[in-house]
Amino acid sequence: VMKVCLAGGTLSYADQVLTLHRTGQPENVWMNLDYSPVPDESGKPGGVIAIVIETTKRVIAEANLSAEHDRLAQLFREAPGFMAQLDGPSHIFTFVNDAYQQLIGHRNVVGRPLLEALPEIAGQGFNELLDKLYQTGESFRGSGVKVLLQRTPGAPREERLLDFIYQPVKSADGIVTGIFVEGYDVTEQKKAE
């Protein structure tokens, strides 16, 4: 630090972990550290000023939030019911869980609009329903709804029966930004009944 700053340079470290003994015990703390040269009477660097801001609480809070996000993402991925997040007016898949992947035949749909990702559902009313809900902000519950899916490439479409909900996702100002899909494939149950 001294060498760089006395040569006229500056140094900056964001969220630098340090071990301090403030209470007699070692503890990890995080700091933002900024070092700058201080000119003497001749205008040349004659010293160094250090600005230190502790960021420990923020760093720990962000780590806890990230861990909670990861935990929730894992729960969603492993949930027994199918789940998907569709964003924007073209209903782009941004998340699907394992059960949804199983329902659609393990196709790669994330990042793709609904009708591009699952072209066989065109004309079955799902895209139109999603369009309506995206505009109105209403939710929809379906029970035993028939869908024809091509779960295996080149194979004929397969009829599945679904219990599901489409729940609009809204921004803080109440604008619909996407639709959350959650439900169960009840085909085998309905056949048994």
Side-chain angles (χ1 to χ4, degrees):
V1 170
M2 295 300 288
K3 184 177 179 181
V4 170
C5 290
L6 290 178
T10 61
L11 291 171
S12 183
Y13 302 94
D15 297 329
Q16 179 70 40
V17 65
L18 302 170
T19 302
L20 300 182
H21 296 264
R22 295 188 286 199
T23 60
Q25 298 293 323
E27 64 176 306
N28 285 340
V29 297
W30 286 261
M31 305 276 187
N32 285 349
L33 308 166
D34 292 293
Y35 300 100
S36 300
V38 176
D40 62 16
E41 305 81 37
S42 68
K44 294 181 179 177
V48 176
I49 185 168
I51 299 172
V52 179
I53 300 171
E54 184 169 357
T55 59
T56 302
K57 286 182 182 178
R58 181 186 52 78
V59 169
I60 290 173
E62 287 174 356
N64 289 341
L65 185 61
S66 178
E68 180 67 11
H69 177 270
D70 292 346
R71 187 181 71 78
L72 287 174
Q74 181 180 359
L75 289 174
F76 277 98
R77 259 191 319 277
E78 297 173 358
F82 62 79
M83 295 181 193
Q85 175 68 37
L86 306 170
D87 285 343
S90 58
H91 317 301
I92 295 172
F93 284 95
T94 56
F95 170 83
V96 294
N97 73 345
D98 295 346
Y100 197 92
Q101 283 290 315
Q102 183 177 353
L103 173 69
I104 63 170
H106 300 283
R107 289 181 266 181
N108 184 15
V109 297
V110 173
R112 299 172 64 195
L114 177 69
L115 290 179
E116 178 187 307
L118 303 173
E120 72 272 19
I121 67 161
Q124 295 186 52
F126 294 99
N127 194 60
E128 295 79 7
L129 179 59
L130 287 166
D131 286 345
K132 178 183 173 190
L133 300 179
Y134 191 85
Q135 292 173 359
T136 65
E138 299 171 359
S139 62
F140 174 83
R141 284 186 183 273
S143 179
V145 176
K146 180 174 84 170
V147 62
L148 298 173
L149 293 169
Q150 187 178 27
R151 299 173 74 190
T152 305
R157 295 188 303 175
E158 181 182 330
E159 180 180 289
R160 306 305 296 175
L161 301 173
L162 308 177
D163 288 351
F164 66 93
I165 184 167
Y166 285 160
Q167 182 67 47
V169 176
K170 299 178 182 179
S171 65
D173 55 359
I175 305 297
V176 175
T177 60
I179 307 286
F180 183 72
V181 179
E182 190 268 329
Y184 292 91
D185 182 345
V186 294
T187 306
E188 302 311 317
Q189 174 188 338
K190 294 293 183 185
K191 285 180 182 178
E193 289 173 3

